[in-house]
Amino acid sequence: DAKTTQPNSMESNEEEPVHLPCNHSTISGTDYIHWYRQLPSQGPEYVIHGLTSNVNNRMASLAIAEDRKSSTLILHRATLRDAAVYYCILRGDSGSARQLTFGSGTQLTVLP
Amino acid sequence: ETGVTQSPTHLIKTRGQQVTLRCSSQSGHNTVSWYQQALGQGPQFIFQYYREEENGRGNFPPRFSGLQFPNYSSELNVNALELDDSALYLCASSLEVPNSPLHFGNGTRLTVT
């Protein structure tokens, strides 16, 4: 399985932007980059995904490097409710590659 | 739109016993997958069901088995429980299309003593 590398933890101040990095140097051409987050005492929650182009949705933006070996999840204005573990996951588009392989993720702390 | 619901929320079992966990998929979703999350770790894929058949399995022994019903609800069965089976068990539903997001329930916390 292609692997991702994320910092164990990050801190941000409330109402400031947060940039969560992810390295995936062994990404294959058919792997999509997915982000999920897990709030305390809840199941993981889908955030965003992309293949090559940058993506935006109501929750976040995803910036993907031109060589696709890294990506950054951007929360434009962090709130206390964004405190969670954020997982960067590579996901294939067929067969068993569609399963999600979670790493340890980045624990985001948002300071008031 | 009803989300993914799991029952029970908490469960305590003794080593060697059997357990059944239940999951109701989000409305309209035809694929269900199960994950095991040990304390402090990311979820690990157990298996996936589509049209009532297992169509993907992670590195888990055969004593972990499942069922998917015609209404797309699902069960996870674990036989001969071991202490290391203590974990949060997560169910996720999705559509069987590439890159369809998974919608997770809040899990069942299983403690094996």
Side-chain angles (χ1 to χ4, degrees), chain B residues 16 25 28 44 79 94:
Chain B
S25 298
Q44 301 299 307
N79 294 322
S94 63

Side-chain angles (χ1 to χ4, degrees), chain A residues 32 34 36 38 41-44 46 49 87 91 93 98-100 102-103, chain B residues 35 37 41-45 90 96-102 104-106:
Chain A
Y32 281 73
H34 284 245
Y36 283 74
Q38 188 170 20
S41 302
Q42 294 187 23
Y46 167 79
H49 77 276
Y87 296 99
R91 190 182 187 198
D93 62 356
R98 289 197 201 171
Q99 71 192 49
L100 298 182
F102 289 82
Chain B
Y35 288 77
Q37 186 172 26
Q41 298 182 21
Q44 301 299 307
F45 175 71
L90 295 159
E96 182 60 8
V97 294
N99 290 291
S100 175
L102 270 63
F104 285 84
N106 287 331

Side-chain angles (χ1 to χ4, degrees), chain A residues 45-65:
Chain A
E45 175 188 27
Y46 167 79
V47 177
I48 200 167
H49 77 276
L51 182 63
T52 57
S53 303
N54 294 345
V55 185
N56 300 295
N57 66 21
R58 63 173 180 81
M59 289 182 69
S61 296
L62 176 60
I64 301 172

Side-chain angles (χ1 to χ4, degrees), chain B residues 1-77:
Chain B
E1 183 178 84
T2 305
V4 176
T5 57
Q6 294 187 242
S7 62
T9 55
H10 294 83
L11 198 55
I12 300 175
K13 288 287 190 177
T14 303
R15 188 172 51 184
Q17 286 187 316
Q18 178 266 342
V19 69
T20 297
L21 310 181
R22 294 178 174 83
C23 172
S24 292
S25 298
Q26 180 162 316
S27 177
H29 285 182
N30 53 16
T31 300
V32 66
S33 50
W34 286 89
Y35 288 77
Q36 179 196 66
Q37 186 172 26
L39 206 59
Q41 298 182 21
Q44 301 299 307
F45 175 71
I46 302 175
F47 45 55
Q48 176 177 286
Y49 278 80
Y50 171 64
R51 289 186 174 177
E52 303 175 50
E53 290 195 3
E54 185 182 298
N55 71 343
R57 189 176 185 93
N59 188 27
F60 281 82
R63 59 189 184 85
F64 286 78
S65 63
L67 284 173
Q68 185 184 30
F69 300 100
N71 66 354
Y72 305 131
S73 65
S74 176
E75 288 182 355
L76 165 65
N77 299 289

Side-chain angles (χ1 to χ4, degrees), chain A residues 77-103:
Chain A
R77 278 180 80 240
T79 69
L80 296 179
R81 296 194 319 173
D82 291 322
V85 178
Y86 285 78
Y87 296 99
C88 170
I89 300 166
L90 301 183
R91 190 182 187 198
D93 62 356
S94 63
S96 62
R98 289 197 201 171
Q99 71 192 49
L100 298 182
T101 301
F102 289 82

Side-chain angles (χ1 to χ4, degrees), chain B residues 83-100:
Chain B
L83 296 180
D84 285 349
D85 295 333
S86 295
L88 181 68
Y89 288 86
L90 295 159
C91 170
S93 71
S94 63
L95 297 172
E96 182 60 8
V97 294
N99 290 291
S100 175

